[in-house]
Amino acid sequence: MSTLLALTALSLVLPAIQDDATSDAPKDLFEPLDVFQLEVAADPQVSPDGSKIVYVRRYMDIMEDRARGNLWIVDVDGGNHRPLTSGTAYHSTPSWSPNGDRLLWVSTSEGSAQIWCRWNDTGQTASLTRLVESPGSLVWSPDGRWIAFAMNVPADTEPLASMPPRPEGAKWAEPARVIETVHYRQDGGGFDEPGHRHLFVVPSDGGTPRRLTTGDFDVNGSPSWSPDGSKLYFSSYRGEEPEFHPEESEVFELTIETGALRQLTDRVGPDNAPLVSPDGTKIAYTGFDDTGLSTNTSNLRVMDLDGKLIREIAIDRGIGDVTWGPESGGLYFTYEDRGDMKLAFQRLAGDARPEVVAEHLGGTEIGRPYVGGTYSLSRNGTIAYELGLPQRPADVAVVRRGGEPKQLTHLNEDLFAHKTLGSVEEVQWASSYDGRLIQGWLVRPPHFDPAKKYPLVLEIHGGPFAAYGPFFAAELQLYAAAGYVVLYCNPRGSTSYGQAFAMEIHHDYPSHDYDDLMDGVDKAIEMGFVDPERLFVTGGSGGGCLSAWIVGHTDRFAAAVVAKPVIDWISFTLTADESVYFTNYWQPAPPWEALEHYWKHSPLAYVGNVTTPTMLLTGEEDHRTPISQSEEFYQALKLRKVDAAMVRIPGAGHGITARPSNLIQKVVHVLAWFERYDVEIGRKGEAEGDGE
């Protein structure tokens, strides 16, 4: 079906979504097709002198149904906002040269992903490479002469069997796919082609890339140059059976001229993202001691060049995205805290706590309000970052330590200046299980009337080790525009509240996170504007698992939409793309050694209790929570004669909403399902009223 036909079909569903599809309905609501008008400011990179910022301006191509990205530049005071690239190619990962005279990025403008360069004095641009694989993790050498990057190198493999010659013109079947690895497919990428991610360097004025690393190992993340340009530092696992060690890595030093490798760290657990200090005397990196927990908060470590540990910084929050201060005396880093992403500065000397420099980094995931954002730092201390707000996707903002933030772009004012969005407010409640304080947010419908009673949608985040926050979310705003109060929250197991809070569901998921969620529903009802007879629930991935768990444990909800769920932990663990990780960390043992444990936590074990009308919604190419999970639950519900539907999104992986029209498809189907049973509740109430 074409995009136009798909959207036309979806538009037939929309009238049923509105409470009152008459000419008197508000005309200023956020509508499904408005998704194509959204823009996002991503990956802002401030120039070395702190005067300009280049960022990726993402937009939605309604004709091709794809997110696109062009590079834009803006002065640090907000002036001279203009494009650097145009067209429908995707331009990403901008990077200033050390002295600011050139700009690198990756572009698909010639069909495949290549490294491009712009000479800022003339505005001339050129492709520097002719690569057959996509480059990533671009890093300038300190003198600006070289560019280090990472790229996949296909493996040389011998076929298991050889077919006899095919007659000329014969139309035989596609060749068999032979798989001999533990990890053989990746959600969003399909079946793995044998190969490994290695480091390369290429002259910054173009030329032939030189490969620096070899072997059956992968380089993780971005490398870091020594100040004299003679060495690169990177993270990798180079031990035995790398497929069975998904959380293991060490920091290595690579001498570029000779190719000599030196291992600098040695602990059980990941040592990631090494970053050399500007004075060349220290290396910062992140990681944790791996003790087999379901999730861990990463700490920040600083060591000498010989690997001797100088200091470890632990704040009971996951530390990431580290940058050295210009004087090498301290470090900037991001961390999640109570549903927000913050940027902090930590001095190496003394025992002072980190200084919060900026808050509300995020807003780039427009579908649901997940926490996460990026920043960059100039030599003069100017910081550019993604600013996320409850009613706007990410814009570019700047700040300096001790100063006030300034928002530079307002990319969506042309759309939202004429729209009324749902207001977002924080709510908190004590869990009935153990009194733990749970944080959540309510989205009230536009033109909210406190005297009315509204239906409620409980929307549950995935992960489960993730967090929602007060950020713009197109899906939730569309639910609110359709007349629903939306409740979303961070039950136990969510990140940003410390290791102990996350570990509440270690080898015990789902469990009392259910109590946290239901207590949130009760809290919303107590506020006086939610109709307790018109409750609905939905969630995706981990939230899909919890949605399925909920309908197996209560009949309070009028209808449910279970999106891309885990239904049976036994079959899930043996069919998901990250089966090694799920078996080693999320469960106490493999399925054949702990069948009772797996089954106890599987929503399928409680399908005999379900009476709630339930829709399953999953991408057909989902390899993270394969669609077979949805099929199991759907078939079980049908066998029990429970009202059920299955919505299959063709071509979509686990991130269903990667294409804008799929975000719309998801929302309109969720709302249509809820409306079907909300209408029945209304009719039942009218009949009872007539009887009286």
Side-chain angles (χ1 to χ4, degrees), residues 604-628:
L604 189 60
Y606 307 95
V607 72
N609 302 330
V610 178
T611 59
T612 304
T614 300
M615 173 187 285
L616 285 301
L617 189 151
T618 304
E620 290 191 331
E621 301 301 321
D622 192 332
H623 297 316
R624 183 62 43 79
T625 55
I627 197 168
S628 57

Side-chain angles (χ1 to χ4, degrees), residues 41 55 74 78 81 394-397 406-413:
Y55 71 96
V74 61
H81 189 204
D395 275 296
V396 177
K406 179 180 179 181
Q407 184 175 337
L408 301 186
T409 64
H410 299 80
L411 300 186
N412 292 281
E413 289 311 302

Side-chain angles (χ1 to χ4, degrees), residues 2 124 217 246 315 413 437 487 496 562 575 583 621 649 658 678:
S2 70
Q124 290 175 296
F217 311 103
I315 59 173
E413 289 311 302
L437 195 64
L487 171 66
S496 79
V562 174
T575 56
T583 303
E621 301 301 321
I649 309 297
D678 200 15

Side-chain angles (χ1 to χ4, degrees), residues 38-97:
L38 295 174
E39 294 185 89
V40 175
D43 198 10
Q45 296 296 312
V46 62
S47 60
D49 65 3
S51 65
K52 300 178 184 300
I53 297 161
V54 171
Y55 71 96
V56 180
R57 185 167 178 168
R58 296 180 189 162
Y59 70 96
M60 312 298 172
D61 184 338
I62 193 170
M63 300 307 294
E64 296 295 328
D65 192 23
R66 297 288 183 184
R68 306 294 190 188
N70 279 305
L71 302 186
W72 282 63
I73 191 168
V74 61
D75 288 346
V76 74
D77 63 2
N80 294 316
H81 189 204
R82 61 190 66 180
L84 294 181
T85 66
S86 60
T88 58
Y90 200 93
H91 306 272
S92 63
T93 61
S95 176
W96 294 90
S97 64

